[in-house]
C-alpha cells in the first residue's frame, strides 16, 4: 500500500519485523519494516515501545542517510496490535510483555491462536489453564499487558502533539489505570514535578484537545506553573503583582483573568495570599505552611535557655586536653553557648575552625549525657562530616527516613511529630544547602526539648531549593549566632584558604600566567578550545602521572551547563579521555548520552525506591534510596536484564533502563552540585559565562571545594569579573520577617 498525500509526504503500511534501536526517553526507534507488498525498508522516527509483529501505517518521507542508505523518516504513525498468529508470536517473543518469551508465546498461541492477545487482556483465568502458568503468573502477565497497552496509548496520544513519550511512563506510574482519564480531564497534570513537562507542552496539548484559550483551567494552571517554576529559582513566594504580570504574558491573557484565577486557587486551598515583609505575597500552600511552621518553631527554640553544667569551664579544658589543642576565645564562647542554648548557629569560612568546634560540641554533648546525632544535606557532606568529627553522620533524608508517596510527587518523611527522632541534640552541617521544605521536615521530627546546632558557611551559594534558610536565621537577629573569622595557623599556610578569604572580601589575588603557589595554580587560557585541551591533559596525564593524584580524586567544576566549557560538553570530552571505549567494555546508549562501564555518574534527583546492597564487610545489608548529588561508578551493564549497576561508595545500586534519565556523567559538575563536598584536587573552568553564574559566590564556593590542589583555567579578566560581581538573584522568602517581626 502506498498513497501520495502531497508532494512531500508518503503513507506506507507494513509489519515491524525487527527493532534495531529504541530510545526509551524520547521514543526514537529504528525499525526494519516489511511492507504489505513484501518489500523491506528501514523506518526511523518517534515510535515509542514499538515491538516486532506490530502492524504500522506510517506517514513520512524517504530520505538518503549518508551512512545507512535509504530510510523512511516517520512524521506520524498509526499502530495496531498484530492479528495473525505469526505476527502475534513475533510480538510476544520480542519481550513486549514481561515474563513472556518464545517458549511461553508458543504455548499461548497453541492454546488460543488469534485470540491470544484478547485473552491476555481480559481473561487471566484462562491463561492459568496453560501448562506451566500459575494463577499468580497469569494475573501478572495480564496486568503487564494491559499496562503496556495503556502506556502505548498514552505515548501515541502525547506523541501526536510532539510530547516526549517518557511522560506517559510517569503518568502511568502516578495515576495507574486512570492515567488516560486524568490526562484528558486536565492535560496540565503533566506539568507536575513528578512528570516534568513544561507548561508550553501541556498547553499545546490542552488547546489541541479542545480546551478554550481563556478557560479557567488554563489560567489557574498557568499561575500554578509560574509559582512552581520559580521555586527552582529559590523563591518561596512571588509578589502578587509580579505573578499576575508574568502569568498574563505566558498565556497572553488579561491581568483580570489571572486575578480571578488566583481567587479561585485561594478558595480551593492551592495557594495562600497574605502580606509578609510588606509585600502582597502569593505562596504555594505547601511552602507557606513550611515557612510559617519553621518560623514558629525557631522562635520557640531561640527563646529556650538550657541550664549549663556548673563545671563547664573544666569540661572545656578537658576537651582541650583530649583533642590536643587550645581553643581560641571565640571557640570557647561557642562551646558555652552550645551548652546553654537550645538553638545555635555557627558560621565561618575555610580554616576558621568549624570542624574543630563540631567535634568539640559533639564531645561536650556526650559528656553532658545527651544522645547526639550528626547530619548533613548530602551523602558526600555527611561522609566528610563523619570522617572529620570521627563520629557517624548521615544524610538528612536517611535520618528522616524519606520515602516516595504513592502519587510519585514530593517526599514523605516517616520521622515527624508522630514518630520523633530519638535524640537530645542534633548537629547539622552545610546548612546553607538546606531549603525551607527540608528544614521544616527536620523541625517536625525533633523532640520538643532537643538542642539544634546549625553549622555552615553563610557566604556560600544558597540552597538549590526554595528559601534562604541559613542566612534568614542569622540575619533575623533572633537566633544566637557565632561567626568565626580567625584563620588558624595550620590553615594560614594554605594559598587556597587565603585566596578564598580574599575573594570573599572582594579582593583580587595575584594571578600570573605561569605562577603557582604549591596548592593553587592559575593557567591562563583565553579561548575555550585551549581550556578544553588543558583540562584533558591535566586529568588524563599530568595530575595522575606527575603528581600522583588519581583520576577519581580530581573534580572538574564549571559555573554553567552549556557552552564549550560547560558541564555537558566537558563530560563528553572527559569521558572520551578518561574512560574511552574498548573491546569488551559494555555500553548503553540513552538519548544523546552513552553510559559505559567505568564511567563516573551522579544521581540527579531523589529516588527513595532504588534498591542497593552494601558491598564489603561481613553483613548482607541492603536498603532503598539514592539521593540527588550522590556520585558513583558504573560497574556493570546487563543488556539481557536491561539493567545497569552503580557503586556509590560501598552501596551497589541497580537501575533498569527506565531510570537512566536520573543519571548523568560526573567527570565534571556544576559548582552548585559540588556544594557540600570536598575534593583532593579541583579544576575550575573560568573562561566566560552568563553574569548570574559568573559571580563572587560561585567562585568562592568553587575555591572552597579544594582540599590539596586548586587549578583555575581561563581568563584572568573572567576571574576578576567574578570577584567584582556580587550579583545575587534576590530570593522572595518571608522566613526572616516572620521570625524578626514576632
Amino acid at each position: 500500500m502506498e498513497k501520495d498525500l502531497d508532494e512531500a509526504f508518503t503513507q506506507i503500511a507494513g509489519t515491524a519485523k525487527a527493532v534495531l534501536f529504541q530510545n526509551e526517553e524520547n521514543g526514537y526507534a529504528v525499525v526494519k519494516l516489511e511492507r504489505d507488498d513484501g518489500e523491506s525498508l528501514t523506518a526511523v522516527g518517534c515510535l515509542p515501545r514499538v515491538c516486532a509483529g506490530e502492524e504500522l501505517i506510517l506517514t513520512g518521507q524517504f530520505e538518503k542517510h549518508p551512512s545507512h542508505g535509504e530510510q523512511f523518516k516517520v512524521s506520524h504513525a498509526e499502530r495496531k496490535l498484530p492479528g495473525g498468529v505469526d505476527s502475534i508470536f513475533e510480538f510476544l517473543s520480542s519481550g513486549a510483555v514481561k515474563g513472556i518469551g518464545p517458549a511461553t508465546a508458543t504455548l499461548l498461541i497453541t492454546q488460543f491462536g488469534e485470540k491470544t492477545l484478547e485473552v491476555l487482556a481480559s481473561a487471566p483465568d484462562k491463561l492459568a489453564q496453560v501448562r506451566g502458568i500459575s494463577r499468580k503468573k497469569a494475573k501478572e502477565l495480564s496486568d503487564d499487558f494491559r499496562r503496556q497497552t495503556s502506556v502505548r496509548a498514552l505515548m501515541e496520544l502525547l506523541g501526536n502533539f510532539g510530547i516526549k513519550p517518557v511522560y506517559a511512563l510517569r503518568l502511568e506510574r502516578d495515576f495507574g489505570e486512570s492515567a488516560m482519564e486524568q490526562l484528558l480531564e486536565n492535560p496540565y497534570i503533566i506539568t507536575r514535578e513528578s512528570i516534568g513537562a513544561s507548561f508550553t507542552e501541556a498547553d499545546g496539548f490542552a488547546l489541541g484537545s479542545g480546551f478554550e484559550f481563556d478557560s479557567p483551567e488554563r489560567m489557574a494552571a498557568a499561575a500554578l506553573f509560574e509559582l512552581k517554576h520559580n521555586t527552582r529559582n529559590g523563591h518561596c513566594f512571588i509578589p502578587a503583582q509580579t505573578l499576575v504580570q508574568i502569568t498574563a504574558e505566558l498565556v497572553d491573557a488579561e491581568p483580570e483573568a489571572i486575578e480571578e484565577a488566583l481567587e479561585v486557587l485561594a478558595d480551593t486551598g492551592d495557594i495562600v495570599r497574605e502580606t509578609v515583609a510588606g509585600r502582597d505575597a502569593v505562596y504555594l500552600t505547601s511552602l507557606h505552611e513550611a515557612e510559617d511552621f519553621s518560623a514558629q518553631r525557631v522562635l520557640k527554640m531561640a527563646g529556650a535557655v538550657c541550664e549549663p553544667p556548673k563545671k563547664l569551664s573544666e569540661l572545656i579544658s578537658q576537651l582541650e586536653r583530649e583533642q590536643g589543642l587550645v581553643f581560641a576565645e571565640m571557640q570557647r564562647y561557642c562551646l558555652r553557648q552550645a551548652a546553654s542554648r537550645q538553638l545555635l548557629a555557627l558560621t565561618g569560612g575555610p580554616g576558621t575552625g568549624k570542624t574543630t568546634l563540631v567535634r568539640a560540641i559533639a564531645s561536650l554533648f556526650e559528656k553532658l549525657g545527651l544522645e547526639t546525632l550528626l547530619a548533613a544535606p548530602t551523602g558526600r557532606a555527611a561522609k566528610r562530616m563523619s570522617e572529620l568529627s570521627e563520629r557517624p553522620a548521615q544524610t538528612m533524608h536517611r535520618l528522616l527516613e524519606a520515602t516516595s508517596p504513592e502519587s510519585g510527587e514530593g517526599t514523605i518523611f516517616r520521622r515527624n511529630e508522630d514518630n520523633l527522632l530519638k535524640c537530645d541534640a542534633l548537629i547539622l552541617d552545610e546548612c546553607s544547602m538546606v531549603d525551607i521544605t527540608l528544614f521544616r521536615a527536620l523541625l517536625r521530627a525533633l523532640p520538643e526539648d532537643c538542642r539544634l546546632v546549625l553549622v555552615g558557611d553563610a557566604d556560600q551559594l544558597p540552597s538549590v531549593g526554595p528559601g534562604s534558610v541559613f542566612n534568614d536565621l542569622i540575619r533575623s537577629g533572633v537566633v544566637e549566632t557565632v561567626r568565626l573569622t580567625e584563620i588558624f595557623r595550620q590553615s594560614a599556610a594554605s594559598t587556597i584558604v587565603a585566596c578564598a578569604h580574599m575573594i570573599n572580601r572582594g579582593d583580587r589575588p595575584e594571578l600570573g600566567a605561569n605562577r603557582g603557589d604549591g596548592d593553587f595554580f592559575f593557567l591562563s587560557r583565553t579561548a575555550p578550545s585551549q581550556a578544553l585541551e588543558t583540562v584533558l591533559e591535566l586529568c588524563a596525564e599530568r595530575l595522575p602521572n606527575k603528581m600522583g593524584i588519581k583520576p577519581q580524586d580530581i573534580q572538574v567544576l564549571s559555573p554553567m551547563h552549556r557552552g564549550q566549557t560547560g558541564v555537558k560538553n566537558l563530560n563528553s570530552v572527559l569521558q572520551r579521555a578518561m574512560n574511552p571505549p574498548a573491546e569488551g567494555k559494555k555500553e548503553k546508549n540513552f538519548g544523546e548520552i552513552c553510559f559505559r562501564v567505568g564511567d563516573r555518574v551522579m544521581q540527579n534527583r531523589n529516588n527513595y525506591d532504588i534498591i542497593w546492597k552494601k558491598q564489603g564487610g561481613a553483613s548482607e545489608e541492603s536498603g532503598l534510596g539514592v539521593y540527588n548529588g550522590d556520585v558513583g561508578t558504573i560497574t556493570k551493564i546487563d543488556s539481557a536484564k536491561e539493567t545497569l549497576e552503580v557503586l556509590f561508595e560501598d552501596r551497589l545500586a541497580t537501575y533498569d533502563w527506565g531510570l537512566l534519565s536520573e543519571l548523568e556523567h560526573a567527570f565534571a559538575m556544576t559548582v552548585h552540585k559540588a556544594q557540600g563536598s570536598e575534593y583532593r584536587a579541583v579544576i575550575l573552568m573560568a573562561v566566560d559565562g552568563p553574569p548570574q553564574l559568573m559571580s563572587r559566590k560561585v567562585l568562592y564556593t568553587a575555591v572552597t571545594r579544594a582540599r590539596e590542589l586548586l587549578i583555575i583555567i581561563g581568563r584572568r579578566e573572567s576571574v576578576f569579573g567574578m570577584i567584582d560581581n556580587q550579583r545575587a538573584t534576590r530570593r522572595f522568602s518571608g522566613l526572616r520577617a516572620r521570625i524578626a517581626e514576632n
Side-chain angles (χ1 to χ4, degrees):
M1 173 184 174
E2 182 169 319
K3 178 182 176 184
D4 290 328
L5 300 180
D6 54 35
E7 292 182 1
F9 290 95
T10 299
Q11 192 177 81
I12 62 174
T15 302
K17 302 303 292 182
V19 180
L20 307 178
F21 174 77
Q22 178 76 74
N23 185 318
E24 285 282 343
E25 176 75 10
N26 58 23
Y28 180 82
V30 179
V31 178
K32 184 65 70 175
L33 185 78
E34 184 178 281
R35 297 174 63 174
D36 290 346
D37 59 10
E39 183 183 347
S40 292
L41 58 81
T42 300
V44 299
C46 186
L47 294 164
R49 293 206 171 179
V50 64
C51 293
E54 281 192 71
E55 296 175 9
L56 306 172
I57 300 175
L58 306 177
T59 302
Q61 298 169 291
F62 287 98
E63 62 176 24
K64 194 85 169 179
H65 190 278
S67 302
H68 305 297
E70 188 174 67
Q71 297 179 335
F72 188 78
K73 187 175 182 180
V74 179
S75 60
H76 177 72
E78 296 177 39
R79 299 162 61 176
K80 294 194 300 181
L81 289 172
V85 291
D86 290 342
S87 294
I88 292 173
F89 176 78
E90 289 179 8
F91 176 74
L92 294 177
S93 297
S94 69
V97 180
K98 190 176 181 180
I100 298 181
T104 304
T106 300
L107 290 172
L108 293 175
I109 291 170
T110 301
Q111 183 94 356
F112 304 113
E114 293 185 357
K115 294 187 176 181
T116 297
L117 299 184
E118 182 183 330
V119 171
L120 261 174
S122 57
D125 53 327
K126 291 184 179 180
L127 291 179
Q129 298 171 10
V130 176
R131 177 172 51 86
I133 299 181
S134 65
R135 297 185 69 84
K136 179 182 178 184
K137 184 176 181 182
K139 184 177 184 307
E140 290 174 351
L141 295 178
S142 183
D143 287 348
D144 187 71
F145 179 68
R146 287 202 307 275
R147 187 179 71 83
Q148 295 285 0
T149 302
S150 172
V151 169
R152 283 153 57 92
L154 282 168
M155 285 180 167
E156 289 177 29
L157 178 60
L158 294 175
N160 288 336
F161 292 88
I163 298 175
K164 295 178 182 177
V166 71
Y167 298 148
L169 298 173
R170 297 170 185 169
L171 272 167
E172 194 276 335
R173 177 197 63 200
D174 286 5
F175 297 103
E177 293 182 359
S178 69
M180 180 69 79
E181 179 185 348
Q182 298 275 359
L183 175 65
L184 294 175
E185 183 179 328
N186 181 10
Y188 297 99
I189 61 174
I190 62 175
T191 64
R192 289 162 56 114
E193 182 183 350
S194 60
I195 296 172
S198 69
F199 178 81
T200 302
E201 290 173 310
D203 201 38
F205 177 71
L207 295 175
S209 302
F211 274 68
E212 295 296 329
F213 189 80
D214 59 351
S215 68
E217 294 91 345
R218 185 169 185 255
M219 302 299 106
L224 286 175
F225 176 77
E226 287 291 359
L227 282 169
K228 292 175 182 176
H229 175 76
N230 277 282
T231 64
R232 300 172 194 169
N233 296 325
H235 301 305
C236 290
F237 70 82
I238 300 179
Q241 184 177 357
T242 302
L243 178 61
V244 168
Q245 179 184 343
I246 62 177
T247 306
E249 290 175 359
L250 177 68
V251 293
D252 192 20
E254 293 298 322
E256 292 77 13
I258 308 304
E259 282 283 4
E260 290 176 9
L262 294 182
E263 290 180 15
V264 173
L265 289 170
D267 289 340
T268 57
D270 290 291
I271 65 171
V272 174
R273 185 170 180 175
E274 70 174 17
T275 301
V276 63
R279 292 180 177 274
D280 181 7
V282 182
Y283 287 85
L284 291 170
T285 299
S286 59
L287 288 181
H288 179 269
E289 290 176 350
E291 197 174 271
D292 186 60
F293 176 89
S294 298
Q296 297 304 319
R297 185 69 191 273
V298 164
L299 279 167
K300 187 175 181 180
M301 294 179 71
V305 178
C306 305
E307 186 66 34
K310 294 180 181 179
K311 297 184 178 181
L312 180 57
S313 294
E314 293 182 19
L315 283 176
I316 293 175
S317 297
Q318 185 180 347
L319 290 174
E320 288 179 319
R321 292 192 296 273
E322 290 174 354
Q323 297 188 15
L325 48 77
V326 176
F327 294 126
E329 183 51 42
M330 186 57 73
Q331 291 177 315
R332 284 179 163 272
Y333 174 79
C334 183
L335 288 168
R336 289 195 294 271
Q337 293 302 310
S340 58
R341 291 188 175 272
Q342 188 179 3
L343 180 61
L344 175 68
L346 169 62
T347 185
T352 57
K354 291 196 307 295
T355 300
T356 298
L357 270 175
V358 167
R359 190 164 53 237
I361 292 171
S363 295
L364 176 61
F365 284 167
E366 289 170 2
K367 291 181 184 301
L368 296 178
L370 303 177
E371 182 68 30
T372 305
L373 297 176
L374 275 63
T378 67
R380 286 171 290 164
K383 183 174 185 290
R384 179 167 168 258
M385 187 185 192
S386 180
E387 292 170 348
L388 295 174
S389 68
E390 300 175 344
R391 288 171 175 80
Q394 54 190 316
T395 66
M396 295 177 71
H397 284 83
R398 291 196 190 283
L399 179 76
L400 299 174
E401 299 177 17
T403 186
S404 298
E406 290 184 6
S407 68
E409 184 169 18
T411 304
I412 290 177
F413 296 99
R414 293 195 179 97
R415 291 288 182 177
N416 51 42
E417 54 271 280
D418 298 320
N419 182 27
L420 296 171
L421 292 166
K422 293 178 172 57
C423 63
D424 304 306
L426 175 68
I427 304 174
L428 181 65
D429 200 6
E430 295 291 351
C431 286
S432 61
M433 299 179 67
V434 179
D435 65 34
I436 190 65
T437 55
L438 190 53
F439 188 59
R440 182 211 185 203
L442 177 71
L443 293 178
R444 287 181 64 200
L446 287 182
E448 187 175 352
D449 58 352
C450 181
R451 305 185 193 208
L452 178 60
V453 179
L454 303 172
V455 184
D457 186 342
D459 295 315
Q460 286 186 18
L461 289 166
S463 60
V464 173
S468 302
V469 174
F470 195 48
N471 259 302
D472 282 352
L473 295 178
I474 292 171
R475 293 169 62 223
S476 72
V478 173
V479 177
E480 178 65 31
T481 301
V482 176
R483 185 180 290 273
L484 304 175
T485 56
E486 180 184 351
I487 302 175
F488 290 93
R489 185 170 55 188
Q490 60 269 33
S491 298
S494 166
T495 309
I496 296 173
V497 171
C499 283
H501 285 275
M502 289 183 70
I503 290 166
N504 201 30
R505 292 193 303 267
D507 297 333
R508 297 180 172 187
E510 183 182 344
L511 299 177
N514 300 303
R515 177 177 177 267
D517 288 289
D519 61 358
F520 170 56
F521 294 84
F522 173 74
L523 303 179
S524 176
R525 302 291 186 270
T526 56
S529 57
Q530 294 175 323
L532 280 177
E533 290 177 9
T534 302
V535 76
L536 289 175
E537 182 185 355
L538 287 168
C539 291
E541 300 175 19
R542 288 172 60 180
L543 295 187
N545 298 337
K546 296 185 178 181
M547 298 189 70
I549 300 176
K550 299 176 182 177
Q552 59 265 35
D553 292 331
I554 305 167
Q555 186 59 60
V556 178
L557 301 180
S558 174
M560 55 203 175
H561 280 283
R562 295 180 174 85
Q564 268 192 282
T565 58
V567 165
K568 185 176 180 181
N569 188 54
L570 280 167
N571 272 315
S572 178
V573 298
L574 285 168
Q575 183 196 34
R576 290 197 296 269
M578 300 176 72
N579 189 33
E583 187 176 349
K585 187 184 288 187
K586 292 193 174 181
E587 300 178 348
K588 166 62 181 173
N589 288 307
F590 186 75
E592 298 177 358
I593 300 175
C594 174
F595 290 113
R596 186 175 296 138
V597 170
D599 280 350
R600 187 192 303 175
V601 292
M602 175 169 54
Q603 177 77 8
N604 59 30
R605 64 184 293 269
N606 291 330
N607 187 321
Y608 311 111
D609 301 319
I610 294 178
I611 299 171
W612 54 262
K613 293 183 179 180
K614 199 93 167 181
Q615 300 297 292
S619 67
E620 293 290 326
E621 183 184 348
S622 62
L624 295 173
V626 180
Y627 302 113
N628 188 4
D630 285 354
V631 174
T633 303
I634 297 175
T635 58
K636 183 179 180 181
I637 294 176
D638 191 325
S639 300
K641 294 181 179 178
E642 297 190 347
T643 59
L644 177 152
E645 293 182 356
V646 181
L647 183 63
F648 296 99
E649 298 288 347
D650 57 353
R651 293 173 294 124
L652 187 67
T654 302
Y655 291 73
D656 61 44
W657 284 174
L659 292 175
L660 294 187
S661 62
E662 298 184 7
L663 289 175
E664 59 190 63
H665 283 114
F667 298 102
M669 66 177 68
T670 63
V671 177
H672 283 81
K673 284 287 189 182
Q675 196 171 354
S677 300
E678 190 178 69
Y679 308 96
R680 184 180 175 189
V682 166
I683 301 174
L684 174 65
M685 307 299 282
V687 184
D688 282 308
Q692 65 268 30
L693 296 178
M694 302 294 284
S695 68
R696 184 186 299 178
K697 276 188 180 289
V698 170
L699 180 60
Y700 174 74
T701 302
V703 168
T704 54
R705 300 309 92 208
R707 185 172 69 247
E708 296 180 17
L709 178 66
L710 170 67
I711 301 174
I712 298 179
I713 302 173
R715 300 169 61 248
R716 179 161 54 180
E717 295 80 4
S718 295
V719 177
F720 290 163
M722 293 177 81
I723 295 171
D724 296 340
N725 178 16
Q726 295 193 68
R727 173 178 177 173
T729 303
R730 179 171 184 179
R731 294 190 165 199
F732 293 117
S733 163
L735 182 62
R736 177 190 176 192
R738 292 179 193 278
I739 296 172
E741 293 173 5
N742 278 279

